[in-house]
Amino acid sequence: MEEIYLILSVNRRNLPAVPDSFNQIKDVEEIHLYDSDIRVVPECINLLTGLRELYLVCCELNRDDSFPDTLWQLTGLEQLRLYGNNLTSIPSQIGQLSSLTYLDLGGNNLVSLPDEIYQLTNLTKLHLHCNKLESISEEIGKLTNLTKLHVCNNQLTKLPKSIGKLVNLGNNRGGLNIFGNPLTSLPDSIRKVKHALGAISKEHKLLLEDVETKAALRLQRRLVILLAKEPKAVYSTGKKSTRQATKNKNQPLIFKVLKEAKVARLICEYIS
């Protein structure tokens, strides 16, 4: 049987409030409101129990009472887009929308996020771009289903170490967008998700190179420790000719090490 989707789409100004008849469209599954003067989400929103997508884009939802408590009762809601509302804060009750897979809070004036956002573990797309965010919590590492994370054009000076846990970020570049932030460093864990990085600035490329260089230096130091602990694994090949010994002496240490299965295995275990 073919499914029928009911969608309410409104694109107009001079609509500061939703009419009373709104609660009569109980079977609607998607509501798209764009470029509207609406300032308050109606209390009866919770009557729309079949609602799956709610777009309130470029409206005027920046008042303390713009979001009624009934909104957070829509536990079946899968997409919530609040782009361009000049929001300065997000109610902590957003954590109750446990079915959300797509959350767009871009284009607002957010300085911080409620910790409850990191309870939304079904999220696959999280858009936080074009705000004034100064930090992202380490709790974001809980959102392991994310395939897109856009935090570009904020005020971030660093990224959380837990970002390396977001290994499902899109393999195609653009899964992780960080440009337009005054970053002063990148965490070592960025190496685990660098495949998802979108366009980055020259400054951010230098930061990424610095991360790679430091990682290489740490590996070299680890190699020295391994060699100190396993000297026989490297020097147990028996007597060699003077010519061969001289040749081996001139080889980089890494070549000598990787010829030995035991030490190579230890190195692989360390890297993984």
Side-chain angles (χ1 to χ4, degrees):
M1 182 176 181
E2 187 175 340
E3 294 184 352
I4 299 176
Y5 294 92
L6 297 179
I7 302 174
L8 172 65
S9 183
V10 179
N11 186 345
R12 55 169 290 190
R13 283 287 176 182
N14 302 317
L15 184 66
V18 174
D20 294 337
S21 57
F22 177 79
N23 62 359
Q24 297 177 15
I25 52 173
K26 296 180 181 180
D27 294 328
V28 72
E29 297 186 7
E30 299 179 19
I31 294 179
H32 299 176
L33 288 179
Y34 298 95
D35 197 29
S36 168
D37 288 331
I38 185 173
R39 298 180 178 87
V40 179
V41 176
E43 288 275 351
C44 60
I45 188 76
N46 63 320
L47 298 179
L48 307 182
T49 54
L51 195 61
R52 296 293 176 263
E53 298 182 12
L54 178 58
Y55 294 24
L56 301 171
V57 177
C58 295
C59 299
E60 299 293 337
L61 299 172
N62 55 6
R63 293 172 23 171
D64 291 339
D65 62 346
S66 288
F67 301 106
D69 291 339
T70 52
L71 173 61
W72 317 118
Q73 296 175 17
L74 297 175
T75 54
L77 197 64
E78 297 172 0
Q79 292 194 31
L80 178 60
R81 306 194 188 197
L82 300 175
Y83 180 89
N85 278 283
N86 293 317
L87 296 171
T88 57
S89 65
I90 298 295
S92 60
Q93 294 96 317
I94 195 171
Q96 298 175 26
L97 301 180
S98 56
S99 297
L100 278 187
T101 60
Y102 192 121
L103 178 60
D104 186 353
L105 300 176
N108 287 291
N109 291 307
L110 300 174
V111 176
S112 62
L113 300 172
D115 290 339
E116 288 75 10
I117 276 185
Y118 307 112
Q119 297 174 8
L120 303 174
T121 54
N122 286 316
L123 281 179
T124 59
K125 297 179 177 63
L126 179 57
H127 294 256
L128 302 171
H129 54 288
C130 300
N131 276 287
K132 299 178 181 178
L133 295 174
E134 298 175 351
S135 65
I136 300 293
S137 171
E138 289 288 346
E139 295 294 298
I140 200 166
K142 294 179 178 179
L143 305 182
T144 54
N145 287 315
L146 283 180
T147 59
K148 281 192 177 182
L149 174 61
H150 292 185
V151 295
C152 47
N153 296 318
N154 276 285
Q155 299 298 318
L156 303 174
T157 57
K158 63 178 182 178
L159 297 177
K161 295 178 182 178
S162 61
I163 201 166
K165 296 180 180 179
L166 307 181
V167 295
N168 287 316
L169 287 174
N171 288 323
N172 296 325
R173 290 190 177 275
L176 176 60
N177 282 329
I178 63 173
F179 64 85
N181 284 289
L183 296 168
T184 57
S185 64
L186 290 174
D188 181 61
S189 58
I190 195 74
R191 297 166 62 229
K192 296 180 180 180
V193 293
K194 68 178 183 179
H195 62 276
L197 281 171
I200 58 176
S201 65
K202 180 180 179 180
E203 291 77 14
H204 292 173
K205 285 182 180 178
L206 292 175
L207 293 177
L208 189 58
E209 290 174 2
D210 185 55
V211 168
E212 296 285 6
T213 299
K214 288 180 179 178
L217 290 174
R218 284 196 300 273
L219 179 57
Q220 289 178 17
R221 287 195 294 268
R222 182 61 177 168
L223 288 177
V224 172
I225 295 173
L226 289 172
L227 289 172
K229 290 182 177 180
E230 301 287 339
K232 293 182 180 180
V234 179
Y235 302 110
S236 61
T237 55
K239 295 181 181 180
K240 295 185 178 68
S241 65
T242 302
R243 182 177 179 181
Q244 183 67 28
T246 302
K247 181 180 178 181
N248 289 345
K249 184 177 181 181
N250 294 330
Q251 283 183 332
L253 181 61
I254 187 65
F255 291 151
K256 296 180 181 180
V257 171
L258 293 179
K259 286 181 179 180
E260 305 302 323
K262 186 175 181 180
V263 177
R265 176 177 56 78
L266 291 173
I267 294 171
C268 290
E269 289 176 357
Y270 170 72
I271 293 174
S272 62

